[in-house]
Structure formats: C-alpha cells, structure tokens
Amino acid sequence: MVCSGATELFRALAASVERMQLSGTSTDDTITIDFASGYTVKVGGLQIEGGGGRNTLVLEGAGELDLTDSDNVIANRRVRRDAA
C-alpha cells in the first residue's frame, strides 16, 4: 500500500510488484517501508527520488533492502532502520 498521509494512493499484492518508483516533493518527505509481512524488495525493485528538503527513508520490520545494490536507486536520502 502506498499512502500520502492518511490517503491511500495505491494497493497491490507485494508479489505482483516488480518495481516501485517513488518521487518526493520539493519539501521534507518521509517514506516508510514496513517489512512486517516479511516482504523483501527485489533486486532493482526500488527507485526513490526524495526531491528537495530533508528526506528520510524509514525501514521497519524484518525484511531486506540491499542499499549497496546499484539497481536500487535511492537519491537525496537519509536512511533510518527502526527496531523490528
């Protein structure tokens, strides 16, 4: 599920999503990926462009996201891993 604040923008089964591309705004953005269901981001399956402002990527739960994989592009970011 993709939300902006309390508004749901998109929902799909994780297994059906090959690649996700998210773009932030010109102000501060926080993108949270919740791995509570055990979801793991596929190699090359995530591209995030934070835009301007202070941007934060929050990872929750016990899934995996390889930040060293050059196919997972995360630009203009600060990454925080929250306790599972």
Side-chain angles (χ1 to χ4, degrees):
M1 175 175 23
V2 177
C3 295
S4 177
T7 303
E8 182 177 323
L9 303 175
F10 174 78
R11 179 186 293 255
L13 295 173
S16 69
V17 177
E18 287 295 319
R19 183 167 178 82
M20 192 169 14
Q21 182 174 346
L22 305 171
S23 298
T25 65
S26 60
T27 61
D28 298 351
D29 298 299
T30 298
I31 295 173
T32 301
I33 299 176
D34 186 350
F35 295 108
S37 66
Y39 175 68
T40 298
V41 176
K42 297 174 184 175
V43 172
L46 181 65
Q47 180 175 354
I48 298 173
E49 171 59 50
R54 181 183 170 118
N55 303 297
T56 303
L57 173 62
V58 179
L59 308 176
E60 297 179 342
E64 293 182 10
L65 173 60
D66 184 354
L67 296 175
T68 65
D69 175 7
S70 61
D71 289 331
N72 287 327
V73 179
I74 302 173
N76 298 327
R77 88 291 189 191
R78 181 182 105 207
V79 177
R80 181 178 84 222
R81 179 74 185 206
D82 284 0

